[in-house]
Amino acid sequence: MSRIARKFRKWTVDALDLPGDLVFELPRLTLIGGKQLLIENHRGVLHFSEERLSLALSEGGLEVTGKDLVIKTIVPQEVMVEGYISEIKYRGTGEKP
């Protein structure tokens, strides 16, 4: 994304008081009691098993670990995971997996 586009988006967020995750397509995570996780604004599933879910994000990635994980819903921008979620890790663009 160009520098001018980033500045325009930041100005839009500030001027219109919009949530940054909408304008910048940042990931939004909603965890419900360690048993249900909704991830919005993902870029695709990289790996899935009963113990681990890896997702690509617009910048970096996300790894969810636990037991008996099941993908309940998957649509182009959202994933709903259920099971016993024990850990959620965010990896920035420059970090190693």
Side-chain angles (χ1 to χ4, degrees), residues 17-45:
D17 198 28
L18 295 172
D21 60 317
L22 292 177
V23 177
F24 293 109
E25 297 180 358
L26 299 173
R28 175 182 283 207
L29 290 86
T30 306
L31 179 64
I32 302 170
K35 296 190 186 263
Q36 194 175 59
L37 177 63
L38 173 65
I39 303 123
E40 299 174 76
N41 295 329
H42 72 91
R43 296 288 182 252
V45 175

Side-chain angles (χ1 to χ4, degrees), residues 1-8:
M1 183 183 321
S2 75
R3 199 169 117 201
I4 294 171
R6 280 193 299 264
K7 283 186 177 188
F8 178 73

Side-chain angles (χ1 to χ4, degrees), residues 32-83:
I32 302 170
K35 296 190 186 263
Q36 194 175 59
L37 177 63
L38 173 65
I39 303 123
E40 299 174 76
N41 295 329
H42 72 91
R43 296 288 182 252
V45 175
L46 301 174
H47 173 82
F48 178 74
S49 68
E50 289 185 352
E51 291 83 31
R52 185 169 69 95
L53 168 66
S54 293
L55 295 171
L57 304 175
S58 58
E59 293 184 20
L62 187 76
E63 188 168 307
V64 179
T65 56
K67 284 177 48 180
D68 302 323
L69 299 179
V70 175
I71 294 177
K72 285 302 224 180
T73 308
I74 186 166
V75 294
Q77 298 266 330
E78 295 180 7
V79 174
M80 171 71 75
V81 180
E82 290 184 355

